[in-house]
Amino acid sequence: MRQILILGGGFAGLMAALNAADENDRHGGNVAITMVSPSPYLTIRPRLYERDPETLRAPLAPTLGPAGIAFVEAVARTIDTEAHVVRVEDARGAATTKNYDRLILATGSQLGALPVPGVTEHAFNIDNYEGAVAFDCHLQKVLESADIAGHDTFVIVGGGMTGIELAAEMRSRIAVHAGEGLAAKSRVILIEQASVVGPEFGKSPRPVIERALKQAGVEIRLSTTVTKVEANAVTLAGGERIAAATTVIATGMRASPSTGQIAGQRDELGRLIVGN
Ligand SMILES: Cc1cc2nc3c(=O)[nH]c(=O)nc-3n(C[C@H](O)[C@H](O)[C@H](O)COP(=O)(O)OP(=O)(O)OC[C@H]3O[C@@H](n4cnc5c(N)ncnc54)[C@H](O)[C@@H]3O)c2cc1C
């Protein structure tokens, strides 16, 4: 049997698998389709800025099973495009190999590293399910503890799509955990190194974004960079130190490192340049 191997169980991997299964059914069913992903869930990643992130994933099995798609809970570690072999490793470190005739690389993207002291130790992210759940747990804890310095100040670093969405949503999320009173009093600060918010969107949507952020009571700090993150403070390039027990990094994504294993041209974000 010919083998289609799909790496990644996000929207792209799932749609590729279902479309392949559909084609396979219509052409005699001679192809085995296998998806490899470290989690047996589909994460609704574009909504991870919302409250209750634990509700934002769904099991893959009820969709893959009836379509005849095999699932391997593992991470693809190496891809040999000459030999058509992928080495995969499960959560316990057990490695196996998977052969393929056609490979679909759908391993998505991940938050790019921000080389600022304290980010790894103290900053949160909403880039993946685990990050979003950890952030939500932190919100609950910090909002219950008025004695924590900076408990009512929320700094979001990065004024792109993710940062804007989270900033606009923050007050309603604070209200869920701590009521409207604290939500109204809290500071939500969006820090962007460019001179405009949402620099990648161009001019036309900017007035709408600015209006939405204003209505949401977001303080926008433009042409500003962060130089240090601590558990209870953020320091800006000019030396200003803001007491904040919550810092979220939303400084942009890079293609999954798996793209580095495929020969070919990549753009500045590590995305493979492919044909149609
Ligand atoms: C907060 C937030 C808001 C967003 N909002 C939008 C939006 O409004 N519109 C939009 O278009 N996009 C948005 N995005 C980007 C969004 O994540 C993508 O559009 C969408 O999730 C891409 O789907 P994907 O399947 O390509 O990748 P992903 O959803 O990233 O899925 C990749 C999958 O590959 C798996 N994987 C990774 N590495 C490996 C490996 N080595 N081996 C096996 N499996 C692997 C992952 O575990 C995951 O299952 C947003 C992202 C975030 C974080």
Side-chain angles (χ1 to χ4, degrees):
M1 246 188 174
R2 287 170 69 76
Q3 307 280 341
I4 295 181
L5 186 61
I6 297 159
L7 306 183
F11 288 111
L14 181 60
M15 290 317 295
L18 292 175
N19 285 324
D22 195 33
E23 284 292 310
N24 194 28
D25 284 348
R26 284 194 280 125
H27 294 92
N30 294 321
V31 177
I33 303 163
T34 304
M35 175 190 281
V36 174
S37 192
S39 163
Y41 294 94
L42 169 74
T43 296
I44 318 297
R45 207 172 157 222
R47 290 180 53 194
L48 287 179
Y49 63 89
E50 294 181 17
R51 57 182 279 199
D52 302 330
E54 58 286 340
T55 64
L56 296 175
R57 67 178 191 173
L60 286 162
T63 307
L64 299 183
I69 301 161
F71 180 76
V72 177
E73 190 172 329
V75 176
R77 291 289 181 212
T78 56
I79 304 169
D80 183 339
T81 54
E82 295 285 317
H84 284 211
V85 176
V86 177
R87 190 176 70 83
V88 307
E89 193 178 293
D90 71 16
R92 287 166 308 170
T96 48
T97 54
K98 298 278 164 205
N99 298 313
Y100 66 85
D101 295 288
R102 290 296 172 111
L103 179 73
I104 298 175
L105 184 68
T107 47
S109 60
Q110 58 192 48
L111 184 66
L114 182 66
V116 167
V119 163
T120 311
E121 299 88 334
H122 303 300
F124 292 86
N125 73 76
I126 53 165
D127 187 51
N128 51 42
Y129 177 81
E130 291 75 16
V133 169
F135 171 57
D136 203 55
C137 291
H138 165 81
L139 265 190
Q140 190 158 0
K141 202 173 89 193
V142 84
L143 286 164
E144 278 167 2
S145 318
D147 51 332
I148 295 179
H151 86 287
D152 55 358
T153 301
F154 302 83
V155 172
I156 297 158
V157 186
M161 178 166 62
T162 303
I164 291 168
E165 284 177 324
L166 181 62
E169 195 79 358
M170 266 317 296
R171 254 175 237 286
S172 65
R173 292 190 60 174
I174 297 166
V176 168
H177 289 298
E180 297 291 347
L182 188 54
K185 276 195 297 187
S186 293
R187 285 180 80 189
V188 179
I189 305 170
L190 181 64
I191 295 180
E192 167 56 47
Q193 65 177 1
S195 57
V196 290
V197 76
E200 72 272 33
F201 300 139
K203 273 188 191 162
S204 74
R206 196 159 296 132
V208 179
I209 293 170
E210 287 171 348
R211 200 162 51 244
L213 291 174
K214 193 169 176 199
Q215 276 168 4
V218 177
E219 295 173 39
I220 305 173
R221 307 287 290 266
L222 299 172
S223 306
T224 302
T225 53
V226 169
T227 56
K228 189 175 178 187
V229 178
E230 296 165 83
N232 297 89
V234 169
T235 305
L236 307 182
E240 182 184 353
R241 193 163 176 272
I242 301 170
T246 307
T247 302
V248 185
I249 301 299
T251 43
M253 297 181 200
R254 289 194 58 76
S256 130
S258 303
T259 60
Q261 300 199 29
I262 311 282
Q265 262 190 300
R266 272 167 282 277
D267 70 5
E268 71 289 352
L269 296 179
R271 293 175 293 193
L272 281 164
I273 296 169
V274 294
N276 293 320

